[in-house]
Amino acid sequence: VPTVRATLGWATVIICAAAAAFVLTRPITAWLERTLFQAWPDSWKPQLGTAGGYSDSALLWTAVLVLIGSVLVAPVVEEAYFRGFLLPRMPARLGRTAPLAHAVLFAFYHVWTLWLTPTRILAVLSLIYITLRTRSILPAIVGHIVLNLIDVVVIMAVVPKSGGHRG
């Protein structure tokens, strides 16, 4: 088990690598969303309850549940399953391609945002490498939590206000 300092150091590497992946793949993912996934129904995309007509208390509860689910539960469960359980069980015959195959599985698991597949594949490679190197999922969990927290905070800050009413 890595020390707290090592875990935070590796998590920082994960966060920086994911940020680079996001920037590098943005033109590709924007094109994918605009072309291949143009007809993707909005109802299939993640909904944050930010559409009009919701009371402030409903929006607050939505934000709390999104934070708990996306920032705490999802990273722990996903890292425990993907890096803790599945990664060590990837078929040996895949050889050096096993990390890439593992990254593809993780990306496709996020079926509700398939246009982000290139970003997820590139970003998750650092989690895979660090998990294999440290033999621990802790740096991946910490990095994943921070990345999802940044994602949720940016979405909440950027999404236009719904014009919800007091309730």
Side-chain angles (χ1 to χ4, degrees), residues 52-116:
Y54 292 100
S55 68
D56 289 345
S57 62
L59 291 173
L60 176 63
W61 277 108
T62 299
V64 168
L65 293 174
V66 166
L67 280 170
I68 292 169
S70 295
V71 177
L72 296 176
V73 176
V76 172
V77 171
E78 288 177 358
E79 294 308 320
Y81 176 70
F82 281 97
R83 257 60 72 197
F85 177 78
L86 188 59
L87 183 59
R89 289 166 178 80
M90 291 298 288
R93 70 179 179 274
L94 292 176
R96 291 181 174 218
T97 64
L100 182 59
H102 181 80
V104 169
L105 288 173
F106 182 78
F108 284 155
Y109 159 76
H110 292 84
V111 69
W112 54 91
T113 52
L114 284 177
W115 55 90
L116 293 175

Side-chain angles (χ1 to χ4, degrees), residues 82-157:
F82 281 97
R83 257 60 72 197
F85 177 78
L86 188 59
L87 183 59
R89 289 166 178 80
M90 291 298 288
R93 70 179 179 274
L94 292 176
R96 291 181 174 218
T97 64
L100 182 59
H102 181 80
V104 169
L105 288 173
F106 182 78
F108 284 155
Y109 159 76
H110 292 84
V111 69
W112 54 91
T113 52
L114 284 177
W115 55 90
L116 293 175
T117 296
T119 303
R120 285 200 176 91
I121 290 171
L122 192 57
V124 83
L125 287 172
S126 65
L127 279 85
I128 294 166
Y129 170 77
I130 290 167
T131 299
L132 292 171
R133 180 176 170 117
T134 63
R135 297 177 185 240
S136 172
I137 63 170
L138 287 178
I141 289 172
V142 172
H144 200 153
I145 286 172
V146 172
L147 287 169
N148 283 15
L149 177 61
I150 292 168
D151 193 33
V152 168
V153 168
V154 167
I155 289 170
M156 294 292 189

